[in-house]
Amino acid sequence: MPKQLDFSLSKNKKFVREIVTGAPVTVSPSTSLGEAAEMMEVMHISCLLVTDQSKVVGILTERDIIHALNDLMPTSNTVETVMAHDLISVQDSEEIHKAYHTMVAHGIRHLLVLDREASPVGVLTETDFRNQKSSHSYAGTLDVASVMSHRYVEMSANLPATKATLEMQAHRLECVIVTDGNAPVGILTERDMVRLYRLQMAEARLEDVMSTPVLTVRSDAPLNDAANLMQQHNVRRLVVIDDHHHVIGLLNQHDLVKYMEDEYIQMLQHLVISQAHELTENRFLTLVNNLPQKIFVKDVNSVYMISNNSYAKDLGINALDIAGKTDFDFFPPELAARYQSDDKRVMAEKTVITVEEPYLTKGKNLWIQTTKAPMFDQHGNVNGVVVIFDDITQHKLDLELIHRRTWALEALGRSNKALIFAKTENELIHKVCESITYQDVYLLAWFGWAIQDEKQSISIVASSGAARQYVNDLKISWGDNELGNGPTGKSIRLGLVQINNILSQNMAFSPWKAKAEKFGIGSSVSLPVKIEGKVAGALTVYAKEVNAFGSDEVELFEELAANLGYGIASRRTALAYEAELFSREKQARILEKSMEDALMAISSTLEYRDPYTAGHQKNVADLAVIIGRELGLDESRIHGLYLAAVVHDIGKIQLPTEILVKPTKLSPQEFRLIQTHPEVGYNILSKIDFPWPLAEIIRQHHEYLDGSGYPRGLKADEILLESKILTVADIVESMSSDRPYRPALGLETSIAQINSMRGTKLDESVVDACIAVLKRDEFIPKLLGF
């Protein structure tokens, strides 16, 4: 009996039936999308099986709902209009690593599980794979940074949700991170999109539908802590942040379970390497012929013994015809010699080596990952080498694409921060260039204005990057001439993005080719920058690699250029607005000064008519200002109080001079005439538009809290605070100064007088403030006789 082959990685292998959770939830093909979306949302599931008379005919996933949302399908449409018909399934008795490999190989996230009678028993997802592995399995040296993804998109909370859904669909993203320009404030997941579709919130902003609070993790956090956090909160992803709470990555559950694919490949390699010497030719081919990996065995002299179909197909021969041949029969001599040198090293050192290297087959340049291991006979002696290699070309391309997109996204993110924080147009342009070249992924970024001169030249005003000296003395134009038919000139002239992915092959780039090669430049993209709809200049970015600017990168840089144009325009608008405000403020100050001068002139005129009270209004104004500051009034209000005080007796201008200078006591009729001066003053000044209520302050400066004042008998809160202050200052200044009919009474008498009126006729707080400043000798009355 032949020896039974051991396919397990350990004695504790698991099967699909042990990790799949819950019975599948089913709907019929005629179920409405709205009803299906509600079921997925309420039950917190990511898919529904579609059955027709107990037969599975399709599957509806969250991603299908997003397609319906972006295609503006009504919720009344049926499930069968968007469901996937071709289901990939796995037996519940299958080993979990092989099941996971099936998901990876087909690029799917939901795997139908069948029992031995081919009846559905569940749907396997990455969550099931994550949950079957204890978080303690991640303990050790692994941290979040070692597995997190750099493939993510940030958007502002005020953007339309539809923009996020289109981005998610176009790039097969599972989420969009919502930020306030720096820190994450929410996250938009596929589950949120299901709810958005169900509620038909077509006009919603991201802030209306995003999930909050967002769960974050530091990049240096242990991976087992992150796994615990995801499991505790039953989420599929965590946002990775740095010390400043800025987004730097995304940790998906896929990042936690992708180790299973590596384990599956290791299992195959372990099987072939450890048991190849026991396999007959037929059993070897039965085992490995249908595997996608290329597998073969050589003897101690590096002569082929056998290979599977995948490798033989690459060589263009039948697998059985490879025996007896060597690498020199298929590869260039130098490459064949290196392959055999590696064989000898593996067998001599009894070690396993894995390398990534280019591989030429059928005229195609591919990348492969090769693992070589020694093969031992029954006595433990090396008797050959086993070789397994995978085509990782697509993986390399995907990785490069992700890296390029990540670089461009990071450049866009940093540039958007510059749009927020840069104060001037010039600072904004410089910071955008610096943002693009921040990590030296892009060698150079520069911005130039299109000059409207005879040569239609371009003036470079900002540049950044390792190759920034390239722009020194760079002659370039945007006209239809030799110096204007390069990428930058054409982008300005035509108003279109110019992608120059292989500089060395672009004839129009000839004037700058030698200089570009000196700085190691391989490709570029030039983007017109428009201000208020017109091309004003261009932003040009250079990379070391050729073909560095694919559609994804160009799309992001187009957004960056559009934002730059908007940023410049907004700053120019702000400058123009500030200039207009400055001009208006200047005119207002001139007008205010003219009005103040006019008031002071009026005050002087009054003093000429009433020499015995010369300086009274100015003294009252000085005291009123001191009281106002004691009460905590702001300076603008105090200034208005001062202006009202210096002309508070303007109404006396219509009184006869003989009454104003009368040395004896006034008669009742004469006093009634005096009492008209507040209303007259109001009538004179109310026609002038002051920034303060000067006319009303003057009108009320003889009113009392109890209503016994004049001219209108106002009470308490009906009287302006400025008028209350003016009243107290007027009483104190009048009593402490000489009058035609009596000498000055002094400050002590004045204090006693206002104290006696405190709370009945005069405001308590104003009286207290006045007494406080008088006792500190902050106001000294000026005797009018001196």
Side-chain angles (χ1 to χ4, degrees):
M1 262 212 50
K3 183 179 179 180
Q4 181 66 36
L5 299 177
D6 180 14
F7 280 81
S8 69
L9 279 171
S10 70
K11 295 178 181 179
N12 299 320
K13 66 179 179 179
K14 289 184 179 180
F15 301 97
V16 168
R17 61 174 170 268
E18 299 177 52
I19 69 169
V20 66
T21 55
V25 181
T26 63
V27 293
S28 70
S30 59
T31 303
S32 72
L33 286 174
E35 183 180 350
E38 185 173 9
M39 290 176 66
M40 293 168 72
E41 183 184 350
V42 172
M43 301 178 74
H44 300 288
I45 53 178
S46 60
C47 71
L48 297 168
L49 284 183
V50 186
T51 59
D52 189 5
Q53 298 180 352
S54 300
K55 180 183 178 183
V56 178
V57 295
I59 187 170
L60 182 75
T61 68
E62 291 171 326
R63 196 160 281 177
D64 297 322
I65 297 291
I66 293 177
H67 289 181
L69 174 66
N70 289 333
D71 291 342
L72 302 179
M73 288 186 185
T75 54
S76 57
N77 270 31
T78 59
V79 165
E80 60 187 343
T81 58
V82 296
M83 70 181 189
H85 295 272
D86 300 324
L87 271 73
I88 307 298
S89 63
V90 65
Q91 292 289 320
D92 63 356
S93 59
E94 194 68 76
E95 206 276 334
I96 62 172
H97 290 87
K98 189 170 182 180
Y100 184 74
H101 177 74
T102 301
M103 289 178 67
V104 173
H106 289 87
I108 58 177
R109 298 187 298 167
H110 302 86
L111 188 61
L112 176 62
V113 180
L114 304 173
D115 61 17
R116 65 175 60 186
E117 283 80 30
S119 298
V121 296
V123 177
L124 201 61
T125 68
E126 285 187 328
T127 302
D128 297 318
F129 289 111
R130 185 194 79 196
N131 291 339
Q132 66 86 29
K133 191 173 180 73
S134 167
S135 61
H136 298 296
S137 305
Y138 304 108
T141 58
L142 284 180
D143 59 11
V144 170
S146 63
V147 299
M148 73 181 191
S149 172
H150 295 281
R151 188 171 181 265
Y152 64 89
V153 168
E154 294 180 52
M155 289 187 177
S156 298
N158 61 354
L159 288 176
T162 50
K163 182 177 176 66
T165 64
L166 291 169
E167 184 78 6
M168 289 169 69
Q169 180 179 343
H171 301 289
R172 298 181 67 82
L173 300 171
E174 296 182 16
C175 68
V176 166
I177 303 172
V178 186
T179 65
D180 62 359
N182 291 300
V185 294
I187 189 167
L188 194 76
T189 67
E190 291 171 316
R191 189 158 292 169
D192 296 319
M193 293 297 94
V194 171
R195 178 165 56 92
L196 181 64
Y197 174 72
R198 179 177 68 81
L199 299 176
Q200 293 290 284
M201 298 169 65
E203 304 300 321
R205 299 282 173 179
L206 285 176
E207 59 193 353
D208 302 323
V209 293
M210 67 186 186
S211 294
T212 57
V214 57
L215 288 176
T216 62
V217 65
R218 289 269 301 271
S219 60
D220 57 356
L223 197 57
N224 58 315
D225 288 355
N228 268 329
L229 187 62
M230 291 174 73
Q231 199 155 9
Q232 288 169 8
H233 292 273
N234 193 27
V235 295
R236 289 182 270 179
R237 59 197 60 83
L238 300 172
V239 176
V240 186
I241 57 173
D242 61 14
D243 293 339
H244 304 291
H245 213 66
H246 296 172
V247 177
I248 58 172
L250 191 68
L251 182 69
N252 290 293
Q253 64 181 5
H254 174 73
D255 300 317
L256 292 179
V257 300
K258 62 185 177 183
Y259 71 90
M260 297 192 65
E261 179 67 358
D262 297 331
E263 287 184 356
Y264 177 70
I265 298 301
Q266 291 170 17
M267 180 176 68
L268 292 175
Q269 293 174 352
H270 172 77
L271 174 64
V272 174
I273 292 170
S274 65
Q275 303 180 48
H277 69 280
E278 299 182 8
L279 303 179
T280 65
E281 181 177 288
N282 289 337
R283 288 170 62 209
F284 181 88
L285 293 178
T286 299
L287 174 65
V288 302
N289 248 352
N290 295 319
L291 294 178
Q293 290 80 16
K294 300 165 195 340
I295 303 172
F296 53 90
V297 178
K298 299 178 186 179
D299 64 18
V300 291
N301 297 312
S302 291
V303 176
Y304 285 99
M305 297 170 63
I306 194 167
S307 81
N308 68 347
N309 284 335
S310 181
Y311 184 59
K313 184 178 179 181
D314 271 3
L315 299 179
I317 63 170
N318 186 290
L320 298 177
D321 295 334
I322 198 170
K325 298 186 181 299
T326 70
D327 292 319
F328 287 93
D329 293 313
F330 306 113
F331 302 105
E334 65 278 3
L335 191 57
R338 182 163 66 81
Y339 287 162
Q340 290 197 358
S341 175
D342 290 341
D343 295 343
K344 290 177 181 178
R345 175 191 161 199
V346 167
M347 290 185 283
E349 298 178 6
K350 297 181 182 181
T351 187
V352 178
I353 65 171
T354 300
V355 295
E356 291 183 3
E357 58 189 349
Y359 177 64
L360 179 64
T361 176
K362 299 177 183 177
K364 294 182 180 179
N365 290 312
L366 306 177
W367 272 89
I368 60 171
Q369 184 182 67
T370 304
T371 298
K372 290 188 175 185
M375 186 172 65
F376 301 91
D377 62 19
Q378 299 177 16
H379 305 291
N381 298 316
V382 175
N383 66 348
V385 61
V386 180
V387 184
I388 304 175
F389 69 85
D390 280 324
D391 180 355
I392 60 170
T393 306
Q394 190 58 49
H395 172 72
K396 279 280 190 181
L397 292 175
D398 290 345
L399 193 61
E400 183 182 347
L401 179 64
I402 290 172
H403 283 169
R404 291 207 313 264
R405 178 175 172 78
T406 300
W407 296 335
L409 271 172
E410 290 177 354
L412 177 60
R414 286 188 295 271
S415 297
N416 285 342
K417 291 175 185 176
L419 287 169
I420 297 171
F421 296 109
K423 296 180 180 179
T424 66
E425 176 182 312
N426 190 51
E427 181 185 355
L428 170 62
I429 295 171
H430 277 85
K431 282 190 176 296
V432 165
C433 291
E434 290 170 0
S435 297
I436 294 171
T437 58
Y438 178 74
Q439 291 184 336
D440 289 335
V441 174
Y442 297 103
L443 290 175
L444 170 65
W446 62 265
F447 177 83
W449 294 112
I451 306 302
Q452 301 294 330
D453 58 3
E454 185 179 340
K455 296 180 179 180
Q456 294 178 300
S457 53
I458 296 175
S459 174
I460 299 173
V461 294
S463 64
S464 180
R468 59 183 173 274
Q469 291 184 358
Y470 170 78
V471 302
N472 292 348
D473 301 320
L474 190 66
K475 304 299 181 184
I476 192 166
S477 167
W478 58 274
D480 189 6
N481 52 56
E482 183 183 13
L483 294 179
N485 282 317
T488 304
K490 290 178 71 174
S491 72
I492 293 176
R493 188 168 67 253
L494 304 178
L496 299 171
V497 177
Q498 299 297 309
I499 304 168
N500 193 14
N501 260 333
I502 307 179
L503 292 182
S504 60
Q505 298 180 11
N506 186 349
M507 295 302 296
F509 196 74
S510 297
W512 311 278
K513 179 181 176 182
K515 191 173 186 180
E517 289 177 346
K518 177 182 176 183
F519 285 92
I521 296 172
S523 57
S524 72
V525 61
S526 297
L527 308 111
V529 175
K530 298 181 180 181
I531 299 176
E532 296 181 350
K534 295 181 179 180
V535 178
L539 176 68
T540 301
V541 184
Y542 300 83
K544 178 170 62 177
E545 302 82 4
V546 298
N547 297 314
F549 300 97
S551 58
D552 283 347
E553 292 81 14
V554 171
E555 182 180 345
L556 289 168
F557 277 119
E558 282 184 300
E559 183 178 346
L560 190 155
N563 288 347
L564 176 58
Y566 171 78
I568 293 172
S570 64
R571 278 158 179 78
R572 290 184 176 181
T573 300
L575 280 176
Y577 178 68
E578 288 174 6
E580 176 65 19
L581 285 182
F582 179 77
S583 176
R584 290 184 181 183
E585 184 180 346
K586 184 178 179 181
Q587 291 301 319
R589 285 199 299 268
I590 293 172
L591 180 59
E592 183 180 318
K593 183 65 168 56
S594 298
M595 290 189 296
E596 290 180 15
D597 291 345
L599 290 176
M600 299 309 291
I602 293 172
S603 178
S604 297
T605 301
L606 288 175
E607 290 185 0
Y608 283 121
R609 299 189 69 241
D610 184 6
Y612 292 100
T613 59
H616 166 67
Q617 293 184 117
K618 178 65 169 57
N619 293 345
V620 169
D622 290 342
L623 179 55
V625 166
I626 298 172
I627 297 171
R629 290 204 173 99
E630 182 73 11
L631 290 169
L633 271 61
D634 63 68
E635 287 303 315
S636 175
R637 198 170 177 184
I638 287 174
H639 189 56
L641 172 61
Y642 176 80
L643 293 177
V646 295
V647 289
H648 70 274
D649 283 335
I650 188 175
K652 291 181 179 179
I653 199 168
Q654 75 165 8
L655 297 176
T657 305
E658 55 269 22
I659 294 179
L660 294 176
V661 299
K662 186 176 180 180
T664 60
K665 189 174 181 179
L666 297 176
S667 69
Q669 183 178 4
E670 290 171 332
F671 187 70
R672 283 194 296 274
L673 193 59
I674 286 286
Q675 287 181 319
T676 64
H677 81 273
E679 193 73 44
V680 173
Y682 171 80
N683 291 333
I684 292 172
L685 296 180
S686 62
K687 307 295 191 299
I688 305 174
D689 186 19
F690 292 102
W692 311 274
L694 301 190
E696 194 60 48
I697 293 172
I698 291 170
R699 189 185 201 182
Q700 298 179 15
H701 82 277
H702 279 291
E703 300 283 0
Y704 291 140
L705 297 183
D706 59 3
S708 62
Y710 61 86
R712 292 184 296 160
L714 299 180
K715 294 182 179 181
D717 292 341
E718 295 176 335
I719 308 170
L720 294 172
L721 176 59
E722 286 87 344
S723 298
K724 294 175 181 177
I725 295 171
L726 184 54
T727 301
V728 171
D730 193 21
I731 292 173
V732 170
E733 203 285 331
S734 296
M735 293 183 68
S736 60
S737 301
D738 293 326
R739 282 292 180 267
Y741 48 85
R742 59 138 176 91
L745 301 176
L747 281 179
E748 291 300 325
T749 305
S750 303
I751 292 174
Q753 178 63 33
I754 60 175
N755 219 355
S756 68
M757 302 170 71
R758 179 181 181 274
T760 55
K761 295 180 180 296
L762 303 179
D763 186 274
E764 294 179 358
S765 62
V766 175
V767 170
D768 292 344
C770 181
I771 292 173
V773 299
L774 291 176
K775 288 187 174 181
R776 293 199 299 264
D777 294 329
E778 293 182 19
F779 174 78
I780 299 174
K782 300 179 178 63
L783 299 179
L784 302 181
F786 296 93

